[in-house]
Amino acid sequence: MRRSRCYLGAVALLLALAAVLTGRGRLAAAAHIERQLPEQRRLVAALQLTDLALWSEARYTRHPAMTDLFSPFQDHPGAMEHFPAGALFAPRWHTPETAIGIRRRDAEAR
Amino acid sequence: MHRVKILEYALAALLRRPGKSAAILTAYTLLVTVLCSVLLLTHALKTEAEQLLAEGPELVVQQTLAGRHDLIPERTAATIAAIPGVASVTPRIWGYYYDSLTKANYTLLAADPAASPLELVAGRLPENEGECAVGMGVAAARRIGVNDDLILIDAANVGTIFTVTGVFKAESRLFTEDLVVVPGEALRRFFAIPAGMATDLAVRVHNPGEIETIAAKVKRQLPATRPITRNDLLRTYRAVFDWRGGMMLALFASALLAFCILAWDKATGLNAGERREIGILKAVGWDTGDVLMLKFWEGLALSLLAFLLGYTLAFAMVFHWGVPVLGDVLRGWSVIFPDLHPVPHVDLYQMATLAFLTIVPFVASTVIPAWRAATSDPDEVMRQ
């Protein structure tokens, strides 16, 4: 019976872990709705935002709902990008190693 | 007790083939992890988008020219405001700016300074010419903060200096990451937008039940416009983040295909050793029901463990470890992309469906071939 006890113990442990994670997640989501969401919504209303700032790579991804009707993703919901480039080229990230700081002369006075 | 003994035997049978069992458990766990993380992430982002954008404008009216988005005359606002049920019409000025220094795209947006103070802005929104507020992504890309200068090149190819008066806080990153908020007239001059024109019109409607009717009236009275309702916005996000959406589909399809191959491989039959084992069990007195129960527990033991491990891993990856791997897939070509820390909105029904769709086919693919062998004559099975 040793193996079955170990197995059932492991399953019970994982089940408890999954339940705790899910329960804590739901509590966190409820706390977010109560505390942070109202202020986030106030900002969305004040700036009249229409989209999430997730993808800034192209206008049809930055504002999926606002873009021209013939853009990719707008032909029909969930449409894939037309262009093979999207599948062939790996994304590249430009993170400059150096930066040039430019200040106005009166900046120090401020 | 009888079932526990069969489970004990099933576990012993799995441990007699440790390599095969470990390989199946690993592949199965990885599959569940990928599927679960895709579903958890897309559901969390979809829920967050729906909750946030519920406060966006009820209706956005765009001008179209030759099938493309064009600037809209501000006088159109009066025509729309005259439609019964419309509360207010506000011209919006916004646009995109490619920053060659950081090779990133920013969204420049005019804001009403009357909206200040906002808790989610460290500092304040711009009130005067030459001021701006920026998202955390822009601040990080340009390495600037409050009271620093942001220099952007305007439509006349002249550098324009904006003093940063505010940086949007981390809690708003999901919708302000690439924003540069500038006073209206300053932005009009920056983009050289002619006086009396706007990018689009934001329409507030008294009764949400009338939005579709007002959109239809706008389209009828101003045929060259495209009214976009808040429902359209929400529907777009539902579609983008849906199971069938974009890259997620590719991940989901490949993972599902791999699982189908695994299940099909198991379902096509037992190997000679497994057949002989079933024959011996039947010869020593096990009946068909016991053999099927044994195979059922073998399948369930593996798939239950794999599902629980996969779900726990996926949950930790999406909600605690900042979405590794999947976040990069989601990021695509975006230079400015918010750190993903989605609010853990979990759809238990979705998870139950996934458990059903992964556990049941695997258990069935273990039991069905065993059933074929278990109903045959033990002598015949052992001789094969």
Side-chain angles (χ1 to χ4, degrees):
Chain A
M1 294 295 126
R2 194 169 55 85
R3 283 193 204 99
S4 56
R5 274 194 197 140
C6 283
Y7 173 78
L8 290 174
V11 166
L13 194 72
L14 278 172
L15 205 59
L17 187 62
V20 167
L21 282 175
T22 311
R24 279 187 60 189
R26 288 175 88 87
L27 285 178
H32 172 264
I33 288 171
E34 197 182 319
R35 287 178 212 146
Q36 289 177 359
L37 190 62
E39 200 48 43
Q40 288 179 332
R41 281 182 162 175
R42 226 183 120 225
L43 183 61
V44 169
L47 299 181
Q48 304 193 80
L49 300 179
T50 53
D51 289 87
L52 299 184
L54 270 178
W55 303 284
S56 56
E57 53 203 291
R59 65 181 189 284
Y60 58 84
T61 55
R62 175 62 180 85
H63 292 94
M66 294 281 110
T67 191
D68 294 329
L69 283 168
F70 53 83
S71 300
F73 294 99
Q74 291 292 302
D75 283 350
H76 56 84
M80 299 288 278
E81 190 178 4
H82 304 306
F83 310 110
L88 294 173
F89 289 102
R92 52 183 180 156
W93 288 276
H94 292 279
T95 315
E97 292 297 317
T98 55
I100 303 170
I102 303 169
R103 299 277 183 278
R104 275 189 291 195
R105 280 189 181 168
D106 60 347
E108 285 172 18
R110 242 188 2 252
Chain B
M1 202 55 177
H2 178 63
R3 278 182 194 161
V4 176
K5 280 181 181 165
I6 288 185
L7 172 64
E8 184 75 19
Y9 188 86
L11 292 171
L14 286 173
L15 290 174
R16 271 201 300 278
R17 309 182 290 270
K20 189 184 171 190
S21 301
I24 291 178
L25 183 67
T26 311
Y28 202 163
T29 305
L30 276 176
L31 165 77
V32 174
T33 309
V34 171
L35 288 179
C36 255
S37 21
V38 169
L39 293 178
L40 287 172
L41 179 65
T42 50
H43 181 74
L45 287 176
K46 192 166 66 175
T47 310
E48 219 164 329
E50 283 177 4
Q51 286 178 344
L52 289 169
L53 300 179
E55 276 308 308
E58 282 92 356
L59 195 64
V60 174
V61 180
Q62 283 183 345
Q63 180 82 13
T64 52
L65 180 69
R68 298 195 68 177
H69 179 202
D70 196 26
L71 295 177
I72 190 164
E74 286 183 346
R75 64 172 186 279
T76 314
T79 313
I80 297 170
I83 297 173
V86 172
S88 67
V89 185
T90 318
R92 294 196 317 160
I93 298 174
W94 60 275
Y96 302 112
Y97 177 84
Y98 174 69
D99 182 23
S100 53
L101 264 180
T102 54
K103 301 204 166 32
N105 293 311
Y106 305 152
T107 300
L108 270 61
L109 175 78
D112 179 10
S116 253
L118 290 165
E119 255 184 48
L120 292 181
V121 183
R124 59 172 174 81
L125 286 183
E127 289 166 3
N128 308 307
E129 288 278 320
E131 291 182 345
C132 72
V134 296
M136 284 186 83
V138 178
R142 295 293 290 254
R143 301 178 192 185
I144 51 173
V146 177
N147 288 331
D148 285 337
D149 288 334
L150 174 68
I151 301 169
L152 302 176
I153 309 298
D154 70 7
N157 207 23
V158 175
T160 307
I161 304 174
F162 295 100
T163 302
V164 178
T165 59
V167 176
F168 293 103
K169 290 184 185 170
E171 293 91 324
S172 68
R173 288 190 86 158
L174 200 57
F175 48 97
T176 60
E177 185 76 353
D178 68 337
L179 283 189
V180 178
V181 176
V182 175
E185 282 312 304
L187 192 58
R188 185 188 292 283
R189 262 195 302 283
F190 184 85
F191 280 139
I193 294 176
M197 303 296 274
T199 311
D200 52 32
L201 302 173
V203 181
R204 286 279 170 195
V205 175
H206 287 299
N207 178 3
E210 290 180 348
I211 296 174
E212 297 294 334
T213 317
I214 290 170
K217 284 182 180 173
V218 169
K219 187 69 190 161
R220 203 178 312 133
Q221 291 185 21
L222 304 160
T225 60
R226 177 187 166 212
I228 302 162
T229 65
R230 192 159 62 191
N231 253 348
D232 290 335
L233 300 181
L234 298 176
R235 208 165 34 231
T236 304
Y237 274 91
R238 254 175 249 139
V240 166
F241 289 127
D242 217 343
W243 276 32
R244 296 174 291 277
M247 265 311 275
M248 300 299 167
L249 171 70
L251 272 173
F252 179 74
S254 57
L256 195 68
L257 189 68
F259 180 67
C260 285
I261 291 169
L262 185 75
W264 180 78
D265 185 46
K266 277 181 72 68
T268 45
L270 303 170
N271 61 32
E274 285 170 313
R275 280 178 172 277
R276 197 174 302 115
E277 184 189 345
I278 290 174
I280 293 167
L281 289 175
K282 292 233 10 184
V284 297
W286 286 47
D287 62 25
T288 306
D290 291 335
V291 174
L292 292 184
M293 186 65 84
L294 168 70
K295 287 293 163 189
F296 170 79
W297 276 111
E298 265 185 35
L300 190 67
L302 259 180
S303 51
L304 195 62
L305 200 61
F307 182 81
L308 287 172
L309 274 171
Y311 173 75
T312 312
L313 261 175
F315 195 99
M317 276 170 66
V318 172
F319 299 121
H320 295 283
W321 298 340
V323 202
V325 187
L326 204 57
D328 290 336
V329 174
L330 203 66
R331 177 186 178 129
W333 289 70
S334 307
V335 174
I336 290 182
F337 189 78
D339 285 344
L340 282 176
H341 293 288
V343 178
H345 296 287
V346 182
D347 184 357
L348 291 180
Y349 175 73
Q350 200 177 47
M351 289 301 112
T353 310
L354 183 67
F356 182 81
L357 289 178
T358 49
I359 292 174
V360 172
F362 188 84
V363 174
S365 72
T366 316
V367 171
I368 291 168
W371 171 72
R372 277 198 223 126
T375 48
S376 314
D377 181 47
D379 181 49
E380 188 189 323
V381 171
M382 278 189 283
R383 280 172 193 279
Q384 274 177 356

